[in-house]
Amino acid sequence: MTASPVTLVASDLDRTLIYSSAALQLTMDDERAPRLLCVEVYNHKPLSYVTETAAGLLTDLTAADSTVFVPTTTRTREQYHRIRLPGAPAEFAICANGGHILVKGESDPDWQRTVADRLADECAPLAEVRAHLVATADPAWLLKERVAEDLFAYLVVDRAELPPEWTKELAAWAEPRGWTVSLQGRKIYAVPRPLTKSAAMREVARRTGATQTLAAGDSLLDADLLLAADQGWRPGHGELADAGWNADHVEATAERGVAAGEEILRRFLRASETG
């Protein structure tokens, strides 16, 4: 008996499937606003939401026998575990921008070793990059400085005070050292180039025997994921939209904000049913 084809769906979370209050971008009248479901609480406060319609679509997607849904995020493992998505629990998840593959909630040690070897061989050490960030950031706009999973660094900034040229200068400094820079909301990420969501997605596809890969994401850190997938979608908002980023097999949603999450899930369902 021939096994059914497997579709792997790798989707970014923040500002792609789930949305903070600031990122919802609700433009309709109050009486027509969608009902929301909270999917993340932190320090007793609701943080992230999906629409009730999106919750139903995600439940349908995760219930399909031939579909493997893989949350794919730059969040650390701790930050990812705060999220309670609707539908069946994900067997696989990708955290820390590809630094960790979670299998039933636990980080896979073989993948950790693979990532560590690549970073040691292909880019400058985290300590050098972090030192440069701290030395060049201006306290007038720097709010916080953080290291994620001992893999990459990011700054939380006051966007109104951040000089646009600073991020460009940082990217120019980081590029020959094998690092990339991405500005997302109030965060500036410095990430090693070998640390990618696409590499982790390919590994999960190999393990699951996937014959089709679908992906979605809104930031420059998602570009490699979208390029590696057979089909991809990006929201009508976000870093990729602002940059006018496109690829032949990647479509932009007509919707922006939380409604784009619904549209992406509908596309996932349609493509997985016909793939």
Side-chain angles (χ1 to χ4, degrees), residues 1-46:
M1 184 175 179
T2 303
S4 300
V6 174
T7 296
L8 187 150
V9 177
S11 182
D12 176 51
L13 297 177
D14 294 280
R15 300 184 186 90
T16 299
L17 288 191
I18 70 175
Y19 291 81
S20 66
S21 297
L24 290 172
Q25 296 191 38
L26 298 176
T27 58
M28 67 287 290
D29 298 332
D30 288 351
E31 60 270 19
R32 295 193 298 113
R35 291 167 60 92
L36 299 173
L37 174 68
C38 180
V39 295
E40 179 185 14
V41 175
Y42 183 58
N43 286 338
H44 311 292
K45 295 180 181 179

Side-chain angles (χ1 to χ4, degrees), residues 23 26 28 47 83 88 114 157 168 175 184 199 230:
L26 298 176
M28 67 287 290
L47 282 190
I83 301 170
T114 296
V157 303
K168 295 178 182 178
E175 196 278 333
Q184 300 180 43
D230 295 315

Side-chain angles (χ1 to χ4, degrees), residues 3 23 50 58 71 73 92 114 144 155 160-161 210 212 214 245 272:
V50 298
L58 186 54
T73 180
F92 294 94
T114 296
K144 297 177 184 177
L155 307 179
E161 299 297 325
Q212 175 181 230
L214 311 176
W245 186 93
S272 61

Side-chain angles (χ1 to χ4, degrees), residues 9 56-62 64 67 214 233 264-275:
V9 177
L57 293 169
L58 186 54
T59 300
D60 291 343
L61 183 69
T62 59
T67 299
L214 311 176
W233 292 270
I264 286 168
L265 287 165
R266 289 192 179 95
R267 301 293 188 93
F268 281 155
L269 278 166
R270 190 176 306 128
S272 61
E273 290 167 356
T274 59

Side-chain angles (χ1 to χ4, degrees), residues 182-211:
S182 175
L183 176 61
Q184 300 180 43
R186 298 190 308 146
K187 294 181 179 178
I188 300 173
Y189 289 92
V191 178
R193 192 177 298 115
L195 189 70
T196 63
K197 294 178 179 180
S198 60
M201 180 190 73
R202 290 189 184 99
E203 176 62 15
V204 177
R206 184 189 68 80
R207 296 186 188 190
T208 58
T211 55

